[in-house]
């Protein structure tokens, strides 16, 4: 449980917006044809697939154009999550990320910029960007891919897709630890414009996957408010670059609206009438009296 305790403490550092210092003012260019191209990532340091990366080396991401800083922090995730703060600064179109404390030794890290990322005109990426590197001599190679649907066919671009590692095959670990309403995930991405998603360079073992529309932008699933989709089965990921990925289909359940009391009438000291805005599906007889 000690590892999970650290993960709860790191919610603010990892899942809330990255601290992006205003080192360079970015503004949309004037004149010319309207830009309809999403921002691209031209170069990164470390490079994709690089190994033996120094744990104290900043991560640098070069964009093709100016981007809206709030969309960078809203689309950013690092898997596995660091134990402390992630800080960002700008130098022109380069985003420089530093970690305090430094990253851990001998770990595969996947930095993701999801489909919330947009340029100054609001043009968003259609698919998430992933950068995998390792602070050790090798990379993990596990993959989970899939497609997300909603009951009404609504747009799911930008929905959070979270993965929770629940142990290696044969190991026992409580399912309660895979709870998107409480814990920081072991992997994260965002659904693309067509509902597709991919989580790459995962640790081998058992995984559970959730997706939800993070309407309050806190990176945690809010029960009874935010629509959620849950993987229909436990996933078994292999650490083999040639192995086929686990492929799943996530279907979001219709959001259940909790009945809310609208009017309270006192008939006598031991009898109250409560009027709700809709009929409760069940009444279990549990009440709280103030």
């Amino acid at each position: 449980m000690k590892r999970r305790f650290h993960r709860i403490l790191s919610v603010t550092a990892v899942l809330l917006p990255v601290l992006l210092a205003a080192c360079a003012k970015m503004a949309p260019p004037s004149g010319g044809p309207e830009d309809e191209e999403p921002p691209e990532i031209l170069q990164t340091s470390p490079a994709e697939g690089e190994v033996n990366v120094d744990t104290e080396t900043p991560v640098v991401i070069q964009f093709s154009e100016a981007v809206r800083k709030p969309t960078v922090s809203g689309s950013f995730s690092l898997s596995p999550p660091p134990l402390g703060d992630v800080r960002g600064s700008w130098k022109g179109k380069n985003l420089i990320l530093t970690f305090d404390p430094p990253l851990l030794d001998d770990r595969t890290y996947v930095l993701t910029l999801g489909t919330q990322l947009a340029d100054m005109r609001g043009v968003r990426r259609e698919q998430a960007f992933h950068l995998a590197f390792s602070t050790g001599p090798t990379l993990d190679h596990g993959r989970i891919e899939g497609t997300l649907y909603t009951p009404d066919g609504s747009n799911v671009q930008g929905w959070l897709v979270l993965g929770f590692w629940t142990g290696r095959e044969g190991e026992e670990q409580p399912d309660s630890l895979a709870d998107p309403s409480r814990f920081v995930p072991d992997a994260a991405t965002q659904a693309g414009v067509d509902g597709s998603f991919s989580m790459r360079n995962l640790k081998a073992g058992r995984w559970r996957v959730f997706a939800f529309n993070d309407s309050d932008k806190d990176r945690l699933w809010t029960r009874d408010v935010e629509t959620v989709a849950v993987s229909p089965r436990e996933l078994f990921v292999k650490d083999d670059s040639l192995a086929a990925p686990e492929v799943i289909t996530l279907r979001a359940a219709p959001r259940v609206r909790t009945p809310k009391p609208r009017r309270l009438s006192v008939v006598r000291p031991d009898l109250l009438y409560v009027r709700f805005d809709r009929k409760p599906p069940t009444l279990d007889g549990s009440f709280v009296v103030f």
Side-chain angles (χ1 to χ4, degrees):
M1 290 299 294
K2 184 177 181 180
R3 182 175 69 92
R4 290 288 174 162
F5 177 71
H6 284 298
R7 291 172 60 186
I8 297 173
L9 292 181
S10 65
V11 169
T12 301
V14 181
L15 293 185
L16 292 182
V18 184
L19 302 178
L20 301 178
C23 296
K25 184 177 181 180
M26 292 188 173
S30 59
E34 183 176 352
D35 177 19
E36 296 182 355
E37 294 297 322
E40 300 293 337
I41 288 79
L42 300 181
Q43 189 174 359
T44 65
S45 177
E48 165 65 23
E50 188 172 339
V51 297
N52 295 317
V53 174
D54 191 314
T55 59
E56 297 188 8
T57 299
V59 173
V60 181
I61 302 171
Q62 181 183 5
F63 294 96
S64 61
E65 58 179 316
V67 297
R68 291 185 178 178
K69 293 177 183 178
T71 70
V72 177
S73 56
S75 65
F76 170 87
S77 67
L78 185 69
S79 308
L83 297 179
D85 294 333
V86 182
R87 294 186 174 89
S89 60
W90 290 94
K91 185 176 182 180
K93 297 175 185 176
N94 294 331
L95 172 62
I96 304 168
L97 298 172
T98 57
F99 307 94
D100 182 21
L103 300 177
L104 298 175
D105 291 318
D106 200 18
R107 294 289 193 282
T108 292
Y109 285 97
V110 180
L111 185 153
T112 299
L113 294 174
T115 54
Q116 296 284 2
L117 179 66
D119 65 15
M120 300 302 291
R121 289 189 172 91
V123 181
R124 295 167 56 180
R125 288 185 59 86
E126 295 186 355
Q127 300 295 335
F129 167 80
H130 303 279
L131 169 65
F133 61 92
S134 176
T135 56
T138 60
L139 280 168
D140 293 330
H141 294 288
R143 291 179 292 162
I144 296 175
E145 298 176 355
T147 307
L148 172 64
Y149 299 95
T150 58
D152 58 3
S154 57
N155 183 20
V156 295
Q157 182 180 10
W159 278 42
L160 287 181
V161 183
L162 308 180
F164 291 84
W165 188 78
T166 59
R168 298 192 179 275
E169 291 190 50
E171 292 182 352
E172 292 295 332
Q173 190 168 354
D175 289 340
S176 60
L177 296 181
D179 184 347
S181 68
R182 298 173 58 201
F183 298 117
V184 177
D186 296 290
T189 187
Q190 290 180 338
V193 66
D194 59 353
S196 63
F197 61 87
S198 175
M199 286 187 282
R200 303 172 33 200
N201 300 95
L202 303 177
K203 180 165 56 174
R206 299 180 292 125
W207 288 79
R208 292 187 181 276
V209 176
F210 301 83
F212 60 93
N213 183 16
D214 187 26
S215 57
D216 57 9
K217 309 302 180 185
D218 67 350
R219 301 296 186 96
L220 295 172
W221 173 48
T222 305
R223 295 176 182 271
D224 300 326
V225 174
E226 295 170 344
T227 306
V228 67
V230 183
S231 55
R233 57 186 174 86
E234 193 168 51
L235 307 175
F236 295 90
V237 170
K238 297 181 179 180
D239 188 17
D240 182 350
S241 60
L242 299 179
E246 277 277 27
V247 179
I248 59 172
T249 298
L250 294 180
R251 299 187 184 278
R255 184 166 64 90
V256 178
R257 298 180 61 191
T258 303
K260 297 180 180 180
R262 293 298 188 191
R263 187 170 62 196
L264 176 65
S265 301
V266 181
V267 179
R268 56 176 186 263
D270 61 346
L271 180 60
L272 303 177
Y273 282 147
V274 181
R275 183 178 181 83
F276 294 90
D277 61 349
R278 67 185 59 84
K279 182 180 179 180
T282 60
L283 286 176
D284 60 8
S286 299
F287 301 94
V288 177
V289 179
F290 296 94

